Amino acid sequence: MNPPSCRDRLEQALVRIADPSGEGTRACLTVYADAARAAADAADARTAAGTSLGPLDGAIVSIKDLFDVAGEPTRAGSKILAEEAPPAVADAAVVRRLRAAGAVIVAKTNMTEFAFSGVGTNPHFGTPGNPHDRARVPGGSSAGAPVAVADGMCDIAIGTDTGGSVRVPAALCGLVGFKPSRQRVPTEGAFPLSETLDSVGPIGRSVADCAKADWVMADAVMAGEEFAPLEPLALAGLRFGVAEGLPLDRLDGTVAAAFAAAISRLDSAAVDITHETLPLLDDMAELNAKGGVLSPEACVIHSDRLRRRGADIDPNVRVRIERGCTVTEADYAEMMRERADLVAAMDARLGALDALVMPTTAIVAPTIAEVAEPHVFTARNAALLRNTTIVNFFDLCAISLPLFLARPGALPVGLMVVARNGHDRRLLRIAAATAQLFAA
């Protein structure tokens, strides 16, 4: 029996997006039905002719609402930008690369306004419900992306990750989320949050065979690399460091049980597990207490909007931008110098390890109702982003793999596997082997 055509798969995705009983209107803010049909038909024609643009040809892809698409304003989850932003003059770099590889771009997905939280709520365009419990948040800031993947609206979702915005929603929704090394994928044409920390990465379905997963192909295409199937590394003898201290502090019961089970499974596969104390994390916390890098950079981007239309910005986002506006230029410059030293020190510290491992988030997905309270939102946001921000701060690469090892029916938990900057392909090979182990 022949596999379904790209057009058939696209039509099924469009039906799911349009389903009034589903999450499509909250997950997908712009739907490119006509353009996607034309792209799907072109992919099917190439298949019929025995030609291909590559392994991503005919894959159905969604893109986060902050990527430029020529001829339309880039909203970045904001009603201000929806009203004021001029039409983009060209597609974002990653969008151009995806189209050139034959990807069928079906929709732009919802997000936290300006990409500035890990919770995933949006008061302007609605909050898509978590696929495992619709009363819970999907995680952010790439909030619509995991819902679109899990609910069959696309094969792969492309998001951005400045402090965890790919990995957090992947973890909370039981999917795979990859944050590459910052320089790996161009951010040209992606509405910025922090030019120092922004990176672009994919979210895909949980599959044991990560080596052939669509999201791995999407990463290669966006990075401008020739795709080559990944060969999983043998896990026996690999050196995995469990990050002690802050990354394991105050885990909720579901996360703690799943993480312990994952470490036990890795240990049974003869992975060399060591427990690593990292005083550099205290140095990071001290620097961030001075204002950090992200918030001051966000203030520079949004100061005019904050002044003119601050009341129209999500209050949970606005307060974080305002915090960055209190940092002086001299303090920011000093923090950047300190961070550069810490990045180099962490790279050296991880030289003896194949990977660092920790829970992706300290908690499972909170309910939409509970984060309606500002003080609860702040606490849950901090718990969701606490571990993932380590990776961005220290300029590393990381992947979140889903864990369902605690008990059947438990909410999803993510295992974050972290590697040094530039070691992306080796990390993906380690992830492929780890995912196969967990699926066994």
Side-chain angles (χ1 to χ4, degrees), residues 5-7 9 36-53 56-59 101-104:
S5 67
C6 179
R7 179 62 182 267
R9 292 187 296 106
R37 287 183 174 115
D41 290 343
D44 286 335
R46 288 190 292 272
T47 298
T51 63
S52 173
L53 296 177
L56 206 62
D57 201 351
V104 176

Side-chain angles (χ1 to χ4, degrees), residues 199-234:
S199 56
V200 177
I203 295 175
R205 292 185 180 89
S206 169
V207 291
D209 192 359
C210 293
K212 297 179 182 178
D214 286 342
W215 58 268
V216 178
M217 301 174 192
D219 167 70
V221 165
M222 292 190 298
E225 293 184 350
E226 289 291 327
F227 172 74
L230 294 172
E231 291 297 328
L233 288 176

Side-chain angles (χ1 to χ4, degrees), residues 130 133 136-139 168 171-173 250-256 258 361-367 370-371 380 383-384 403 406-407 410-414:
N130 189 301
D133 180 349
R136 295 179 182 271
V137 300
V168 169
L172 299 192
C173 295
R250 290 169 293 158
L251 303 180
D252 76 18
T254 299
V255 173
T361 64
I363 60 174
V364 295
T367 66
E370 67 183 295
V371 298
R380 300 295 184 271
L384 291 171
L403 294 179
R407 67 179 189 275
L411 288 167
V413 173

Side-chain angles (χ1 to χ4, degrees), residues 298-386:
C299 175
V300 171
I301 293 165
H302 296 291
S303 59
D304 177 64
R305 271 180 289 275
L306 196 64
R307 176 182 56 80
R308 292 186 298 106
R309 299 189 60 177
D312 293 329
I313 298 173
D314 177 351
N316 292 312
V317 170
R318 186 179 66 237
V319 69
R320 302 186 76 197
I321 299 172
E322 290 172 338
R323 192 176 301 130
C325 296
T326 65
V327 177
T328 67
E329 290 186 14
D331 287 343
Y332 171 75
E334 178 59 28
M335 285 189 295
M336 289 293 284
R337 286 191 290 270
E338 291 179 18
R339 175 181 178 265
D341 292 340
L342 294 177
V343 166
M346 182 62 84
D347 183 72
R349 176 67 176 80
L350 299 183
L353 298 172
D354 292 295
L356 195 67
V357 292
M358 63 187 83
T360 307
T361 64
I363 60 174
V364 295
T367 66
I368 296 172
E370 67 183 295
V371 298
E373 294 292 333
H375 69 284
V376 177
F377 180 98
T378 299
R380 300 295 184 271
N381 187 55
L384 291 171
L385 291 171
R386 186 191 69 195

Side-chain angles (χ1 to χ4, degrees), residues 262-275:
I263 296 303
S264 177
R265 182 78 63 88
L266 289 165
D267 185 62
S268 70
V271 175
D272 182 8
I273 303 289
T274 59
H275 294 268

Side-chain angles (χ1 to χ4, degrees), residues 181-196:
S181 298
R182 180 185 49 83
Q183 74 282 1
R184 179 174 172 80
V185 178
T187 57
E188 172 204 339
F191 191 89
L193 174 59
S194 164
E195 293 185 0
T196 299

